[in-house]
DNA sequence: TTCGTCGAACTTCCATACTACCATTTCAGC
DNA sequence: GCTGAAATGGTAGTATGGAAGTTCGACGAA
């Protein structure tokens, strides 16, 4: 973890030095943890502790604590006072709730985009699609993931919906954990590219309703594997269905050390 | 500010003692500040300082800092490192962006609610409407505000959309500041009640499209006064239109002490 | 064996000291 | 009087120590 204007005490940190505005340590910790959680390198149920993470990243507990707060706001960890901080397990309800919000917002974005976006933006999106086809042909899921994100974000920004994208980004975090879990046998990538293309064609043609429908179909496709995954990886998922939001803090999984 | 299991050192705090789970100090500070900002008791542009707030509330800087972090995540304050923390001015773009998201999500909620909600919930919502009529007749805007919030939240929960409501709640914060500014000469309250009734009737009749349309019309009504207010209270608003999200931190309003 | 009690080890939460940085002011030099 | 560099006061960011609370296992008595 790199402290501002100080030789990095951690070996892992690449020597990025170019850009100023290397954000605060707390932000770096937040990004690191968030990425680890979303990509499932930190598995659901894992116990985190301020001290442990601080020691591992060679920083004090304070910035770690602030990162925990932000992660907790995003619904990725749960802080139980005096007990511990845990990576929340995937909850089928939380995922479908996130999809509901994402669908509502992103379909609205598609409609708005159909009313007109900058010409350059349209070209950029088409370029992303080409790259996706390459990644699909090369069977490179990770790169495909990156490009998928770029497409959705690009469309949002083209439609001048920065706040809406921020909302989607947060909902997406819940969904992405499922997608990472389903990486091996997900929907064929060419199929997803075709759906992207369908959205983009509708947008380009100014057909709002069609863009909306295409986007909706696309977003519903993504989580088709959810029930199967919930059965295949029960330890990653919240057990029952209805016991969300109970007041009494449910005893979380037995403390399981973070083992990278 | 009341410390858990400690005699409250601040006189202002009402002696709520009944319920356990008096949340942490940081949470109390957060709620206090958030409420003050949304109701415009802390006017846009006001400088907050960790130390000052801490002194005023008789707590240390630490919980205040955590409250600032959360407020900053909500887009209600902006933290400029080594310079200060400021209540963000109302930005026309931010408000319309919030409305865009809220409209997308809440209309989706209305559609879902039309597919069926618990019978009790429907009755509860009708009860809220009656109370709103009373408040409208009594010309009691504050109470009307509370009931308005209750109606929208009640509909969301009836449709089992808790996460969606959380998203709306955050978008609403931006919009509510405008509403508080327009309290004197806002849309007549009876008109708003009628719109609520229209939504609810469509929901009860299972007419999803009608509920969507009614909700959309209702939400668009709320901010009609925005342009006028931006002219009437220029010091509360972000000046131009397009210079959002500039990387270089724009020098905020000259430090103006919080004066309660 | 089973139950209750106590204690050690852990956690988050809060308070406080210190650091780095920014903005303004002050004041010497011209 | 004017300019510019150093001093000063104020800010958020970080580090660290202690307080309050939870968990869990050891230990002993029934």
């Amino acid at each position: 973890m790199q402290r501002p204007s100080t030789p990095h005490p951690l070996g892992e940190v690449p020597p990025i030095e170019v850009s100023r505005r290397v954000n605060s340590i707390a932000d770096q910790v937040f990004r690191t943890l968030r990425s680890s959680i979303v990509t499932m390198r930190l598995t659901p149920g894992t116990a985190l502790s301020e001290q442990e993470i601080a020691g591992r990243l060679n920083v004090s507990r304070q910035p770690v604590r602030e990162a925990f707060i932000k992660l907790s706001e995003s619904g990725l960890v749960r802080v139980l006072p005096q007990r511990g901080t845990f990576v929340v397990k995937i909850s089928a309800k939380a995922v479908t709730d996130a999809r509901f919000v994402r669908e509502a917002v992103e379909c609205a974005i598609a409609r708005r985009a159909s009313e007109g976006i900058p010409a350059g933006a349209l070209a950029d999106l088409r370029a992303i699609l080409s790259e996706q086809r390459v990644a699909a042909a090369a069977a490179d899921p990770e790169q495909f993931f990156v490009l998928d994100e770029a497409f959705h974000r690009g469309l949002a920004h083209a439609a001048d919906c920065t706040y809406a994208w921020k909302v989607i980004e947060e909902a997406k975090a819940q969904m992405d954990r499922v997608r990472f879990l389903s990486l091996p046998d997900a929907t064929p990538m060419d199929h997803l590219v075709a759906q992207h293309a369908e959205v983009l064609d509708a947008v380009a043609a100014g057909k709002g309703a069609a863009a909306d429908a295409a986007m909706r179909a696309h977003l519903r496709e993504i989580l088709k594997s959810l029930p199967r995954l919930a059965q295949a990886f029960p330890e990653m998922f919240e057990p029952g269905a209805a016991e969300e939001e109970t007041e009494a803090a449910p005893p979380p999984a037995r403390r399981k050390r973070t083992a990278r």
Side-chain angles (χ1 to χ4, degrees), chain A residues 110 113-114 117-130 132-133 151-152 154-156 158 192-207 210-212 214-215 218:
Chain A
S114 303
I117 60 176
L122 198 60
D124 291 345
L125 289 170
R126 290 209 187 281
I128 292 176
L129 246 65
S130 315
Q132 277 197 300
R133 288 197 186 88
F151 176 79
H152 288 273
L155 185 64
L192 296 178
V193 180
Q195 292 182 326
H196 281 185
E198 194 178 348
V199 172
L200 202 51
D201 287 342
V203 167
K207 296 179 177 174
D212 181 315
M215 179 65 83
H218 174 52

Side-chain angles (χ1 to χ4, degrees), chain A residues 7-56:
Chain A
H8 49 83
L10 199 65
E12 313 174 9
V13 177
I16 40 166
E17 218 84 63
V18 204
S19 85
R20 241 341 347 99
R21 183 69 56 177
V22 191
N23 270 327
S24 65
I25 295 184
D27 248 34
Q28 294 183 51
V29 175
F30 170 71
R31 281 183 223 277
T32 301
L33 290 178
R34 183 191 151 97
S35 164
S36 293
I37 293 174
V38 171
T39 61
M40 299 288 281
R41 289 193 341 190
L42 281 175
T43 59
T46 305
L48 309 174
S49 108
E50 295 178 357
Q51 201 154 27
E52 181 191 347
I53 302 292
R56 175 170 303 175

Side-chain angles (χ1 to χ4, degrees), chain A residues 7 23 28 82 85 89 92 110 114 140 151 187 204 209 221 227-228 249:
Chain A
N23 270 327
Q28 294 183 51
Q82 273 72 36
T85 301
K89 296 203 171 186
S114 303
D140 183 347
F151 176 79
T187 305
E221 176 99 21
R228 182 170 47 77

Side-chain angles (χ1 to χ4, degrees), chain A residues 163-178:
Chain A
Y163 175 63
W165 174 250
K166 202 181 132 213
V167 170
I168 290 177
E169 214 170 12
E170 216 170 283
K172 223 169 82 67
Q174 294 291 338
M175 301 171 59
D176 279 348
R177 293 205 296 171
V178 176

Side-chain angles (χ1 to χ4, degrees), chain A residues 21-259:
Chain A
R21 183 69 56 177
V22 191
N23 270 327
S24 65
I25 295 184
D27 248 34
Q28 294 183 51
V29 175
F30 170 71
R31 281 183 223 277
T32 301
L33 290 178
R34 183 191 151 97
S35 164
S36 293
I37 293 174
V38 171
T39 61
M40 299 288 281
R41 289 193 341 190
L42 281 175
T43 59
T46 305
L48 309 174
S49 108
E50 295 178 357
Q51 201 154 27
E52 181 191 347
I53 302 292
R56 175 170 303 175
L57 298 180
N58 258 45
V59 299
S60 79
R61 282 161 26 220
Q62 177 66 18
V64 176
R65 173 173 176 74
E66 298 185 2
F68 280 8
I69 293 176
K70 291 187 190 173
L71 289 169
S72 142
E73 295 266 309
S74 302
L76 292 178
V77 307
R78 180 150 185 196
V79 178
L80 304 183
Q82 273 72 36
R83 284 204 271 173
T85 301
F86 304 86
V87 179
V88 301
K89 296 203 171 186
I90 302 175
S91 142
K93 172 130 176 40
V95 174
T96 54
D97 277 9
R99 191 188 61 77
F100 177 82
V101 168
R102 183 179 177 185
E103 181 178 311
V105 175
E106 201 155 6
C107 290
I109 289 178
R111 281 199 304 276
R112 169 176 284 195
S114 303
E115 296 167 7
I117 60 176
L122 198 60
D124 291 345
L125 289 170
R126 290 209 187 281
I128 292 176
L129 246 65
S130 315
E131 293 188 63
Q132 277 197 300
R133 288 197 186 88
V134 174
D140 183 347
E142 302 231 358
Q143 174 67 0
F144 189 85
F145 233 89
V146 172
L147 292 168
D148 182 82
E149 166 108 3
F151 176 79
H152 288 273
R153 181 181 56 238
L155 185 64
H157 282 100
D160 194 25
C161 295
T162 61
Y163 175 63
W165 174 250
K166 202 181 132 213
V167 170
I168 290 177
E169 214 170 12
E170 216 170 283
K172 223 169 82 67
Q174 294 291 338
M175 301 171 59
D176 279 348
R177 293 205 296 171
V178 176
R179 296 191 67 190
F180 267 93
L181 210 53
S182 71
L183 262 195
D185 47 11
T187 305
M189 291 185 263
D190 357 11
H191 189 190
L192 296 178
V193 180
Q195 292 182 326
H196 281 185
E198 194 178 348
V199 172
L200 202 51
D201 287 342
V203 167
K207 296 179 177 174
D212 181 315
M215 179 65 83
R216 199 172 303 265
H218 174 52
L219 293 177
R220 296 201 174 172
E221 176 99 21
I222 292 178
L223 292 182
K224 274 188 177 171
S225 52
L226 179 58
R228 182 170 47 77
L229 292 169
Q231 286 200 332
F233 303 96
E235 73 280 7
M236 306 256 181
F237 283 75
E238 205 68 33
E243 62 257 340
E244 288 290 315
E245 305 292 336
T246 58
E247 180 53 26
R254 211 184 161 68
R255 179 157 281 262
K256 175 179 59 175
R257 281 289 155 202
T258 71

